[in-house]
Amino acid sequence: MYAAGDAVAQVRAGRSLSDALERLETDSSLGAAVQDLAYGTLRNLGLLDALLAELLRKPVKPAVHALLLAALYQLRARPRTSHTTVDQAVRAVSRLEPAAKGLANAVLRNYLRAADALVARCDSDTAHYSYPQWWIDRVRAAWPQHWESILNAGNLHPPMTLRVNRRRLTAEQYLARLGERGIKGELVGGQAILLERPVPIESVPGFGAGEVSIQDAGAQLAAPLLDVRPDMRVLDACAAPGSKSGHILELADCALTALDSDPARVLRISDNLARLGFSARVACGDCSAPAGWWDGGLFERILLDAPCTASGVVKRHPDIKWLRRESDIAQLAATQSRMLDALWQLLAPGGKLLYATCSVFPQENAQTIDIFLARSNAARRLPLAGLEQGQLLPDARHDGFFYALLEKH
Ligand SMILES: C[S@@+](CC[C@H](N)C(=O)[O-])C[C@H]1O[C@@H](n2cnc3c(N)ncnc32)[C@H](O)[C@@H]1O
């Protein structure tokens, strides 16, 4: 409880949840429980915040506030163990601030006494959907038919999905292997394997040997859409940690350059490719400033998996809902346009560039592409079968992605 509260407090102070969890000095046997509690708290933060505002008479320190949020989450998620939860929370609060022990006890017991009435009083959109109001407004305006299912999908637990290395075996053969180990799964979108329930990575047969990778079904659409053939010169412009680079090489023996601007993340590209038994030219540089890393040869295929708000992957990263600012969207859209302009110059005539984001905000997606097409007369957008306007909306089985395939003529 103490560690989960600490992680939530760090996110509230602006740190990503994965960084916050990495910094915690918890016993590894407690790691999964802490993670579960921190993720659950952030998934439901809109409601928990509103509940706590009903219960508190005056402000408390951020660390105590975060701990009480985690405790409320636990009380709601596991009502049968409420006495243990209150005890754990009161002990954790007294470790932080002994004077707040009585207050913590009173707040949590008051919640238990009147939970339904308190929840009924929390009737704002943010409490109901657990997203900031601006986010709800934008999704509602962009997707009038689907906005609620998009928001609700983001609050689900993410599934575990595998990508089979087709050079080694087929998805059907791998499914049969899973079955022999008692692991149940099914095919989604033809190739991805969705597990009935997540399993530890060590239990995934053939993972270490590079037979499979973990990758969302929506993300698995990218490499096939890029339509890479053997020996082509291919650039993965924002490649780290290398999931899509690996997939590209599984599909075709091509000359791949995998680029990323983040030095720490670049190291992970080579590790990931090595596990799969591949190599590529791995470079660290800014894709919108090719002079620093480009060898002058045009590419026949370019994947631009652009940095974005990641609004389509909040199932996996619930902290994103609370870390993003509305102004990030326009800033990211400007960066995405700059990248697109620079990379277009590196594409060979007749070549294809796949633009991808894991966002559901049109300003980073269709609008970025429309603006680009309006100023580039050598670019043509190719239709993508099964993806209306290029947008894959998130649901229980996959994350949300946007794809636009552009051809140079
Ligand atoms: C969506 S992630 C890429 C995920 C990756 N394609 C995969 O499938 O594993 C976006 C990446 O863009 C990188 N990035 C951000 N700005 C960049 C730039 N100017 N040039 C190159 N890479 C950049 C980030 O470091 C991040 O790794």
Side-chain angles (χ1 to χ4, degrees):
M1 180 77 68
Y2 184 88
D6 188 358
V8 171
Q10 287 192 52
V11 170
R12 293 227 117 162
R15 197 183 294 284
S16 79
L17 179 56
S18 50
D19 279 3
L21 289 171
E22 249 171 54
R23 290 163 64 100
L24 294 178
E25 287 162 11
T26 35
D27 186 328
S28 59
S29 64
L30 293 177
V34 171
Q35 199 165 319
D36 196 48
L37 191 46
Y39 272 82
T41 304
L42 290 166
R43 245 177 224 127
N44 297 284
L45 193 63
L47 175 61
L48 300 171
D49 249 344
L51 278 173
L52 194 49
E54 292 285 333
L55 288 159
L56 285 172
R57 300 266 166 277
K58 54 181 185 192
V60 291
K61 280 189 184 160
V64 173
H65 194 267
L67 233 162
L68 290 173
L69 291 171
L72 285 173
Y73 169 70
Q74 179 100 317
L75 288 176
R76 293 184 58 71
R78 295 191 183 69
R80 290 215 193 124
T81 56
S82 59
H83 290 297
T84 318
T85 301
V86 173
D87 281 353
Q88 283 177 345
V90 169
R91 255 185 287 131
V93 167
S94 61
R95 232 175 109 187
L96 265 177
E97 202 191 347
K101 191 175 155 184
L103 171 107
N105 194 33
V107 160
L108 299 177
R109 291 193 190 281
N110 285 342
Y111 166 76
L112 288 173
R113 262 193 290 277
D116 291 346
L118 285 163
V119 171
R121 289 221 289 272
C122 299
D123 56 0
S124 68
D125 282 353
T126 292
H128 188 73
Y129 296 106
S130 265
Y131 288 81
Q133 187 65 48
W134 66 263
W135 188 308
I136 298 170
D137 293 344
R138 278 188 176 254
V139 174
R140 190 172 3 211
W143 305 102
Q145 314 287 326
H146 305 291
W147 67 276
E148 262 188 306
S149 64
I150 295 171
L151 296 176
N152 291 335
N155 287 334
L156 299 173
H157 284 254
M160 184 168 181
T161 311
L162 305 178
R163 182 188 84 226
V164 179
N165 183 347
R166 267 191 245 176
R167 294 219 200 179
R168 310 278 186 92
L169 71 175
T170 65
E172 288 77 9
Q173 285 167 334
Y174 189 76
L175 261 180
R177 250 183 68 206
L178 286 177
E180 286 160 16
R181 310 254 176 134
I183 302 175
K184 289 198 183 130
E186 58 168 315
L187 287 181
V188 223
Q191 285 301 318
I193 294 183
L194 183 80
L195 298 188
E196 193 179 84
R197 59 180 65 88
V199 297
I201 190 95
E202 312 80 57
S203 315
V204 175
F207 178 80
E211 289 176 357
V212 274
S213 300
I214 294 171
Q215 191 179 37
D216 181 78
Q220 291 190 41
L221 297 178
L225 288 176
L226 195 58
D227 180 29
V228 176
R229 281 176 253 130
D231 300 323
M232 278 184 167
R233 271 178 60 91
V234 180
L235 171 67
D236 186 353
C238 292
S243 314
K244 297 188 185 77
S245 287
H247 198 188
I248 290 169
L249 288 163
E250 284 169 10
L251 298 183
D253 217 344
C254 59
L256 179 72
T257 298
L259 177 81
D260 202 278
S261 60
D262 181 328
R265 286 170 65 85
V266 162
L267 300 175
R268 295 173 59 197
I269 304 178
S270 305
D271 289 350
N272 265 326
L273 295 184
R275 184 182 60 82
L276 295 168
F278 298 129
S279 63
R281 180 186 169 227
V282 177
C284 187
D286 175 355
C287 69
S288 62
W293 53 270
W294 186 41
D295 65 5
L298 295 175
F299 296 99
E300 292 153 286
R301 295 288 183 267
I302 296 179
L303 171 61
L304 170 53
D305 189 12
C308 67
T309 54
S311 57
V313 295
V314 287
K315 262 203 233 74
R316 271 168 230 290
H317 304 286
D319 51 330
I320 285 173
K321 299 192 288 183
W322 314 107
L323 291 171
R324 289 280 172 260
R325 297 288 162 258
E326 189 171 14
S327 55
D328 294 346
I329 301 178
Q331 267 182 28
L332 283 158
T335 304
Q336 292 151 358
S337 289
R338 217 175 37 249
M339 290 178 165
L340 208 42
D341 283 340
L343 293 170
W344 192 251
Q345 307 307 316
L346 315 189
L347 188 65
K352 293 179 187 171
L353 181 151
L354 181 67
Y355 175 81
T357 73
C358 54
S359 174
V360 295
F361 296 136
Q363 210 178 344
E364 308 179 82
N365 296 339
Q367 281 179 36
T368 301
I369 294 303
D370 289 346
I371 293 168
F372 175 75
L373 289 172
R375 63 170 183 260
S376 328
N377 47 21
R380 182 166 76 101
R381 185 171 176 183
L382 302 175
L384 299 178
L387 272 183
E388 199 194 327
Q389 310 294 330
Q391 184 76 53
L392 180 72
L393 293 176
D395 66 18
R397 295 153 74 88
H398 54 71
D399 292 331
F401 284 89
F402 173 80
Y403 292 110
L405 187 60
L406 307 174
E407 189 180 43
K408 193 173 201 172
H409 54 85

